[in-house]
Amino acid sequence: MNKELVALIKHHISYFKEKDKILREHFNEEKNKGASHEVLVKSVEAVKENVSKYENACNDLRVYKEKEEELTKASGAQMLAKDEEDFKQKVEEFERVANEYLKFEKQLADKYNFDLGHDNDKNSELEEDEDEVVAVTAPKGNKGKKIIAALIAAGIIFGAGVHVSNIMNKTEVAQVQDEEDKEETKNENLKAGEYGTFKDVSEKEQVEARAKYIYDEYYSKFIGDLSTSEQKEASVENIANTIRVLNGELPLDVDGNAYFDANLVDEYGQLFVKVVCDLPSSPELDRVYHVPSHLFAVDGSESSEFLKPYDEDYSNIAKGRNAGDNVKTEEAIRSLATKMWRQWSLQGMYGEVSPYDLNPKDRTMVFLGSMAKFGQYPFEYSLNNKTATCIDACLDYNNPSVIKKLSASEIFVGVTSGKWDTVIAKAAGIEVDAEPDSIVFQKDLEDTLEFKYRELKQLTIK
């Protein structure tokens, strides 16, 4: 990805976010002055138009990242070719993905009036001859160079008219190769399944290694104190399939075959809640354990990064409860409630990440990972101690200076029931139905899994 272009898109996103505040303040001023219905409608339309531009910019950035991930994956696929024909097909697929990536990047550059500077970049210049020219250039940045370096090392020629020696010089190839060697050495020092080794949910070995790592590092500490049925629920096989489904991959049956049914998301969503929430806080245990949700996501993914701060809060709540440290526990609950309010209710305001900007197939994962532990960790603490942990929040958008106290439990119930999902819309005078987002998230993930299964069946038939 071009870092300057990414920065420019992020600048637009920040601009639209700040403009949103100004437009809403203007709406409130007009409303307080008793402005006419026509004036208020225009004000609301201005808010909606700005929100549309904001969402569009967020979507551009998301798709740009997805296309880069697709390019990265395709660049190494030929290394796993089964034969010469398979190798040729994988190279052709890489060419297709690379051209699509560059085409989309050019569209973004035109849209945001950004000069990619390819014409002045000798390292990414392509030479033409009388034969067919394949329009493939090196994406800017280290990752792009790593992709090309891997292809050069493999001796791949993109097609007639493309001279890979012009994409990168020998010094750059050596530098990139050195970076890759260091990365490989670093990964070799990691345990199988440890954070940093799980990069592809479609790779069976990686998923199983991560599932075993989770079991060995976390469940082995208390699994013997659980009932036989509970121990079966937390099996490595169940953890592996939970990882697959919540990351948008089909689960495998006992014979290793991918399968699909209409209840997959519900089944494995419940299993996720069971293994990361219910079992580690079981009444049969002498303390509250914590199993990190982010380890169920692909390492370094947006889902993983989104869930890490929630895992930190839930871990601190568990530690505080085990130590009888109410100060530590309530501090962690306030931190958790603030994230829920700003990220989920206010959709990423105050500089927070919005879960609604993530890939639709990943939202079930981040929703469950950030919300599912609430009942067993902070809420159970509140019940036992007969106390409510609160944060300051603005609820009256006609009087933004009026701050009220909201308990963590109120925020949790509001978000999961759909009550607080419409905060921004209500602030703009737009009425929307309050429906739990989890319903939409689940449908998005179901659609992803069903689509993959249909593709798989078509390939099988052929």
Side-chain angles (χ1 to χ4, degrees), residues 106-372:
K106 180 64 167 58
Q107 289 173 348
L108 286 183
D110 292 343
K111 180 176 180 178
Y112 291 94
N113 195 26
F114 178 79
D115 181 12
L116 288 169
H118 286 280
D119 293 337
N120 299 322
D121 187 353
K122 294 182 180 179
N123 287 333
S124 63
E125 184 179 359
L126 298 178
E127 297 180 6
E128 296 184 9
D129 60 20
E130 297 177 357
D131 295 323
E132 175 189 4
V133 177
V134 181
V136 180
T137 60
K140 293 181 180 295
N142 290 334
K143 186 173 285 189
K145 291 182 178 181
K146 287 182 180 180
I147 293 170
I148 303 302
L151 295 172
I152 293 174
I156 294 172
I157 303 299
F158 289 85
V162 178
H163 300 267
V164 292
S165 60
N166 290 326
I167 297 177
M168 294 173 62
N169 61 41
K170 292 181 180 179
T171 302
E172 287 177 312
V173 173
Q175 289 174 343
V176 172
Q177 192 63 52
D178 183 56
E179 288 177 12
E180 291 185 331
D181 290 342
K182 289 179 181 178
E183 187 65 26
E184 286 177 6
T185 302
K186 179 181 176 182
N187 288 338
E188 285 175 1
N189 295 328
L190 296 175
K191 288 191 213 174
E194 189 175 355
Y195 189 88
T197 63
F198 179 35
K199 298 295 185 180
D200 188 349
V201 72
S202 66
E203 290 291 328
K204 182 181 178 182
E205 293 77 11
Q206 288 189 30
V207 174
E208 291 178 350
R210 170 52 56 83
K212 189 173 187 309
Y213 175 81
I214 292 174
Y215 184 91
D216 291 344
E217 289 293 315
Y218 298 96
Y219 293 102
S220 62
K221 297 175 183 178
F222 60 84
I223 195 74
D225 296 325
L226 299 177
S227 66
T228 303
S229 61
E230 288 177 325
Q231 290 181 29
K232 289 180 180 179
E233 287 178 313
S235 68
V236 173
E237 293 76 17
N238 278 343
I239 295 172
N241 271 340
T242 300
I243 290 172
R244 290 188 181 98
V245 171
L246 292 186
N247 283 281
E249 195 68 26
L250 293 169
L252 303 181
D253 60 22
V254 291
D255 297 317
N257 300 315
Y259 70 94
F260 173 81
D261 66 58
N263 298 316
L264 275 186
V265 177
D266 188 51
E267 177 187 347
Y268 283 100
Q270 288 184 34
L271 189 56
F272 176 79
V273 174
K274 189 76 175 179
V275 297
V276 301
C277 309
D278 298 343
L279 300 185
S281 61
S282 171
E284 297 184 29
L285 303 176
D286 60 354
R287 57 180 297 172
V288 181
Y289 289 87
H290 179 254
V291 177
S293 296
H294 77 270
L295 291 180
F296 284 73
V298 173
D299 298 342
S301 65
E302 290 182 323
S303 300
S304 176
E305 295 304 309
F306 184 87
L307 289 173
K308 281 181 181 178
Y310 284 90
D311 278 330
E312 183 178 354
D313 287 338
Y314 282 119
S315 177
N316 285 333
I317 291 170
K319 290 176 182 176
R321 289 180 59 182
N322 292 333
D325 187 341
N326 292 352
V327 173
K328 181 182 181 69
T329 304
E330 291 180 19
E331 182 180 333
I333 294 175
R334 275 191 290 273
S335 175
L336 177 67
T338 300
K339 287 184 186 66
M340 289 180 170
W341 179 250
R342 292 180 176 181
Q343 294 183 329
W344 289 97
S345 298
L346 302 183
Q347 300 180 21
M349 288 179 68
Y350 300 100
E352 295 283 356
V353 176
S354 171
Y356 301 93
D357 292 341
L358 303 183
N359 191 306
K361 75 174 179 61
D362 296 327
R363 291 173 191 165
T364 291
M365 162 80 82
V366 298
F367 182 80
L368 292 176
S370 55
M371 296 290 169

Side-chain angles (χ1 to χ4, degrees), residues 386-455:
K386 296 181 175 61
T387 184
T389 306
C390 302
I391 64 168
D392 292 331
C394 173
L395 295 178
D396 186 350
Y397 293 92
N398 290 317
N399 296 290
S401 61
V402 178
I403 303 298
K404 296 183 179 181
K405 294 286 185 182
L406 271 183
S407 72
S409 297
E410 286 180 292
I411 295 172
F412 169 75
V413 172
V415 172
T416 54
S417 67
K419 179 180 178 182
W420 296 124
D421 295 346
T422 58
V423 168
I424 291 180
K426 287 179 178 177
I430 304 168
E431 289 299 324
V432 294
D433 294 330
E435 180 182 71
D437 283 330
S438 56
I439 296 174
V440 179
F441 296 165
Q442 182 168 325
K443 183 65 168 59
D444 288 334
L445 183 52
E446 286 173 354
D447 289 345
T448 298
L449 293 169
E450 185 174 8
F451 176 77
K452 286 196 172 186
Y453 186 67
R454 285 179 179 174
E455 276 196 325

